[in-house]
Amino acid sequence: MPYTGKVTVGGPADVHELADLMISKVAVGPMDNNAYLLRCRTTGEQLLVDAANDPETLLHLIGGDGITGVVTTHRHGDHWQALEEVVTATGARTYAGREDADGIPVPTDEPLDDGATVSFGACRLTVRHLVGHTPGSVALVYDDPHGHPHLFTGDCLFPGGVGNTFGDADHFRTLLHDVETKLFGELPDETWVYPGHGADTSLGAERPHLPEWRERGW
């Protein structure tokens, strides 16, 4: 079956197979969070993006090969409810944006700054620090050497807009600026976007709407 990015809580993972990387997406928890298991096809090493909830679901998805690390995209509680159990079961290292690490109850082994890399097997992700939804939110870019980039945005970019800035105009301007300059300004329209909740999108699908987002202020 072709990958669609459409998943439901309690349902199966949807798997996006790239030449060097497999991306398995599942929905977990009462807020329909997305969690992504990334598997290097060369070495079999795995990395989890957001141990959001339902540790049994995530550990079943991870399987016997374990994971080398878990990246938490930001400090909001719905994105780390299963983190302690997953780390205890797998011994994985933990990664999070430096400015959000103190807000995550599981210690962060490797605080992330803009431009840092997270490697597993032969694959690597580039960190983009995006300020506004939280002070230390991070997005992760996989620049596929055989195709277009793939972008994991946490709660900073969704189909139809940037993440929630809770009515704070300054935070909205900061987040929109970072998303425009660090994501839309550097990556092509073909970039596949994997958000922290809901359906996938692409930068090309969202780019024409940037002026209206700026005008509406959210």
Side-chain angles (χ1 to χ4, degrees):
M1 293 291 290
Y3 176 79
T4 67
K6 297 177 181 178
V7 291
T8 58
V9 175
D14 198 6
V15 180
H16 202 171
E17 296 197 29
L18 311 180
D20 297 334
L21 179 68
M22 289 180 60
I23 303 168
S24 298
K25 176 181 181 179
V26 292
V28 293
M31 297 183 71
D32 289 351
N33 286 73
N34 295 327
Y36 300 93
L37 181 68
L38 314 184
R39 182 180 180 89
C40 172
R41 300 186 75 162
T42 301
T43 68
E45 290 183 61
Q46 300 187 122
L47 180 86
L48 185 66
V49 178
D50 280 343
N53 213 309
D54 297 350
E56 298 85 0
T57 296
L58 298 180
L59 290 170
H60 177 75
L61 181 68
I62 291 165
D65 289 339
I67 50 175
T68 63
V70 183
V71 180
T72 302
T73 58
H74 63 288
R75 68 187 186 188
H76 287 159
D78 58 309
H79 289 260
W80 48 254
Q81 291 297 310
L83 182 58
E84 183 173 9
E85 290 180 65
V86 167
V87 168
T88 298
T90 63
R93 292 185 64 75
T94 54
Y95 302 79
R98 186 177 301 277
E99 292 79 2
D100 272 12
D102 286 347
I104 300 169
V106 178
T108 296
D109 295 317
E110 300 210 19
L112 300 174
D113 298 307
D114 193 63
T117 59
V118 177
S119 299
F120 57 105
C123 297
R124 68 184 229 170
L125 308 173
T126 301
V127 176
R128 303 276 60 170
H129 177 208
L130 308 173
V131 180
H133 182 66
T134 66
S137 290
V138 294
L140 305 166
V141 182
Y142 172 67
D143 193 2
D144 187 353
H146 307 286
H148 54 74
H150 294 257
L151 174 64
F152 303 87
T153 57
D155 283 1
C156 287
L157 178 64
F158 295 97
V162 296
N164 191 351
T165 52
F166 311 100
D168 188 307
D170 289 338
H171 289 174
F172 170 75
R173 283 192 291 270
T174 300
L175 180 56
L176 184 62
H177 172 269
D178 282 1
V179 165
E180 284 192 285
T181 57
K182 296 180 181 181
L183 304 184
F184 287 96
E186 296 185 4
L187 299 170
D189 284 351
E190 295 79 12
T191 302
W192 197 294
V193 176
Y194 306 82
H197 304 261
D200 298 357
T201 186
S202 69
L203 290 186
E206 305 305 323
R207 193 184 300 273
H209 304 289
L210 286 167
E212 69 186 70
W213 300 353
R214 187 178 300 106
E215 177 67 22
R216 78 188 184 194
W218 57 273

